Amino acid sequence: MQLIEQLYINGQWQTPAKNNSLTLINPATEQVFARVSLAAEGDVEQAILAARQALPSWSATSASERARLMNAVADEMQLRFDDLVAAHVTAMGCPISIAGAYQVDCPIEAMRYYADLAASMDEVEEKGRVLITKEPVGVCAFINPWNYPLVQLIGKLAPALAAGCTVVAKPAEQTPTADLIMAEILHKVGVPPGVFNLVFGIGREIGPFMASHPEVDLISFTGSTRAGIEVAKAAAGTVKRVCQELGGKSAYIITEDADIDAAVRYGVEDVMANSGQTCNALTRMLVPASQLQAVIDQAVLVAAEQVVGDPLVDNSSMGPMTSRAQQQKVLKYIEQGIAAGAQLIVGGTEMPEGLESGYYVKPTIFAGVTGDMSIAREEIFGPVLCIISYDTIEQAIEIANDSIYGLSSAVFAKDKTSALAIARQIKAGQCYLQGSYFSIDAPFGGYKQSGNGREWGSEAMAEYIEIKAIICT
Ligand code: NAD
């Protein structure tokens, strides 16, 4: 069993003040794999004050020095690639065959990408007698979820370091190990003490303390809309910047003249990726009623190609849910879908064939889903796809926008031009056309209750920057 007994504060490994710990379960084996010591408010206070103390010298470091350190971090991440992969396989059940590509490649690329953007902090815009300059926002607190632990951490940390901010990070309870490895890496390459601090803890206990602390200038939260609202309320009293990256129920419109087989394959594979635990998963597939049977036939075929099983076995494409609680939540939604009269065409509530333990859920697809069903409206966060039929494209757009969420979306039409015309009418922060994939250049974030922040792309730098106007005579 791995013992994670220390927090990383002010460049040192430190035992938490109180003797409070959490055991972590490997979701594939249901066995304990680690025990992690938890921070209390006093430990978090120390981490925040260390970040405050480190801020003046770190923000005064030259952009080239920050970029050098960040590139050294990326080099070291590459050397520890296998450790980072193993952290995801054990803690969240991500299959070993895909964990590198899904969970580790992008964070390494991101460290280098934002290292290149550090120099943009020195740019001064001149508008007549007005000079517009950039300064780091200051001390940043990060609270992250368990579904892409390293991606979420680096999506915040890399632009924050490039901008000259200092950081206190708290990973999700279930997934501390990737963050732990990152603290070791940052320490090894010589990132100065206090620039990055890592605390482990229970969100509802130390999260509000982080969010409300007067020495924290920005809180960036990724997780459920429920907790995101709590964070914003806690932060309100200190008027700090609050960046929220929250839940989703993203719509995917397939048009009548699209290549149905290619379009449905893309949609089914998208929802089943990471066992459905992806905030921007395209969980509502909107299809023309005239093509419904062709869509169902192809969806059944593609779902059957998924191999649900032990994340350590090479050909597994889907692992378990990250926790028993998540498995139970997903199964409850499947029961609700059946009870509401949706047509279960694939999957269901039984364990996948050949598996007796582990928090698995079968890839599940419903057709005949209507807008009033909970499976159509609420975020399930599991491998459950809802197929909803429409009669006209106007109706499809209306259904797509009939959601409290607006994180992502997609369109598959006859060609890019017709897809683009539909994309412009969807209220969501991203829209993927004709089967496209994630790009680090694409700013990522929500409309409506999916949040207000933007991560990735050069736009992510803006979260960590204060704009100062200097007005000359
Ligand atoms: P969660 O909200 O339960 O937990 C996320 C984090 O918040 C954890 O670190 C947790 O400890 C902490 N937390 C919980 N309650 C808190 C509180 N009251 N105050 C402060 N912190 C608190 O969410 P989860 O179940 O871990 O993650 C799944 C959710 O995350 C889904 O809704 C998913 O859509 C969302 N998500 C969004 C994005 C995005 O970029 N928009 C990315 C990944 C996940």
Side-chain angles (χ1 to χ4, degrees):
M1 180 167 70
Q2 186 181 1
L3 295 177
I4 303 172
E5 294 181 309
Q6 294 184 311
L7 315 170
Y8 184 67
I9 297 175
N10 206 17
Q12 291 178 338
W13 295 98
Q14 189 173 309
T15 305
K18 290 188 182 160
N19 187 12
N20 194 7
S21 65
L22 189 70
T23 49
L24 304 182
I25 309 285
N26 177 327
T29 62
E30 301 189 27
Q31 302 298 312
V32 171
F33 76 91
R35 193 171 70 226
V36 56
S37 298
L38 301 175
E41 286 185 1
D43 305 303
V44 181
E45 172 86 11
Q46 281 186 34
I48 293 170
L49 296 183
R52 172 60 60 195
Q53 211 179 359
L55 183 65
S57 57
W58 178 246
S59 58
T61 313
S62 67
S64 60
E65 174 59 4
R66 293 199 302 280
R68 184 192 68 77
L69 280 166
M70 291 175 68
N71 282 315
V73 169
D75 292 343
E76 198 62 29
M77 289 168 79
Q78 196 68 58
L79 291 175
R80 298 211 45 194
F81 192 88
D82 291 346
D83 292 343
L84 288 166
V85 165
H88 291 84
V89 174
T90 311
M92 60 167 295
C94 188
I96 196 159
S97 55
I98 55 173
Y102 274 42
Q103 308 277 3
V104 187
D105 284 346
C106 163
I108 296 175
E109 185 189 353
M111 266 295 162
R112 299 194 196 286
Y113 183 94
Y114 290 102
D116 284 350
L117 289 175
S120 67
M121 290 300 291
D122 297 333
E123 291 164 2
V124 177
E125 194 184 343
E126 287 190 44
K127 287 185 179 172
R129 57 193 183 84
V130 178
L131 305 182
I132 300 171
T133 63
K134 296 173 186 170
E135 291 179 8
V137 76
V139 173
C140 302
F142 299 158
I143 299 181
N144 274 323
W146 41 261
N147 59 331
Y148 289 92
L150 187 65
V151 173
Q152 300 301 342
L153 174 66
I154 304 303
K156 300 180 195 304
L157 180 62
L161 292 179
C165 294
T166 58
V167 167
V168 177
K170 188 202 91 63
E173 290 81 338
Q174 301 91 328
T175 52
T177 31
D179 292 59
L180 177 74
I181 294 168
M182 283 311 303
E184 291 169 0
I185 290 174
L186 289 154
H187 186 83
K188 183 172 177 198
V189 308
V191 171
V195 171
F196 176 76
N197 304 273
L198 177 64
V199 295
F200 306 113
I202 307 291
R204 65 178 180 279
E205 292 173 6
I206 61 169
F209 183 78
M210 294 170 80
S212 61
H213 201 289
E215 293 294 342
V216 171
D217 300 302
L218 169 151
I219 180 139
S220 180
F221 174 87
T222 300
S224 62
T225 296
R226 172 202 62 78
I229 292 169
E230 293 296 314
V231 164
K233 283 181 182 167
T238 45
V239 200
K240 55 174 58 77
R241 190 173 296 178
V242 181
C243 309
Q244 293 163 306
E245 304 287 342
L246 309 177
K249 192 76 190 174
S250 300
Y252 172 30
I253 298 179
I254 299 175
T255 65
E256 193 158 24
D257 51 5
D259 175 342
I260 295 291
D261 281 357
V264 173
R265 169 169 294 283
Y266 171 77
V268 173
E269 289 178 350
D270 176 87
V271 171
M272 302 311 161
N274 210 32
S275 298
Q277 303 166 120
T278 303
C279 52
N280 61 340
L282 303 167
T283 49
R284 291 186 294 147
M285 183 185 280
L286 312 189
V287 307
S290 59
Q291 298 282 4
L292 183 59
Q293 196 51 53
V295 167
I296 291 176
D297 292 346
Q298 173 70 346
V300 170
L301 203 126
V302 177
E305 293 171 10
Q306 297 295 325
V307 182
V308 187
D310 184 346
L312 287 169
V313 171
D314 255 349
N315 72 337
S316 298
S317 62
M318 288 173 64
M321 301 290 96
T322 295
S323 63
R324 180 183 292 284
Q326 191 60 26
Q327 179 204 36
Q328 294 306 311
K329 180 182 156 197
V330 175
L331 294 178
K332 215 166 109 196
Y333 272 113
I334 297 174
E335 282 167 9
Q336 284 177 18
I338 294 167
Q343 182 194 351
L344 183 69
I345 59 166
V346 173
T349 52
E350 307 83 27
M351 278 288 269
E353 286 80 37
L355 293 168
E356 272 156 26
S357 60
Y359 308 140
Y360 294 94
V361 174
K362 280 182 167 179
T364 295
I365 305 181
F366 285 106
V369 177
T370 53
D372 55 334
M373 295 180 186
S374 62
I375 56 168
R377 308 202 71 77
E378 296 170 23
E379 184 183 47
I380 300 174
F381 221 53
V384 183
L385 171 64
C386 294
I387 299 176
I388 302 171
S389 21
Y390 68 84
D391 292 320
T392 64
I393 202 68
E394 291 73 25
Q395 195 190 1
I397 293 164
E398 201 180 308
I399 298 170
N401 290 334
D402 179 22
S403 172
I404 59 165
Y405 296 113
L407 187 54
S408 191
S409 61
V411 181
F412 211 121
K414 183 168 151 247
D415 53 33
K416 182 179 155 192
T417 310
S418 16
L420 194 55
I422 299 168
R424 289 191 190 282
Q425 300 176 68
I426 300 178
K427 302 276 176 248
Q430 288 200 325
C431 191
Y432 291 80
L433 300 194
Q434 307 297 92
S436 61
Y437 291 100
F438 175 86
S439 160
I440 198 167
D441 283 317
F444 181 102
Y447 283 24
K448 301 189 266 183
Q449 292 186 29
S450 287
N452 57 16
R454 287 293 178 274
E455 296 187 334
W456 307 108
S458 55
E459 285 75 6
M461 290 292 289
E463 307 261 303
Y464 300 97
I465 292 171
E466 286 285 14
I467 295 290
K468 179 182 278 180
I470 301 173
I471 302 110
C472 310
T473 51

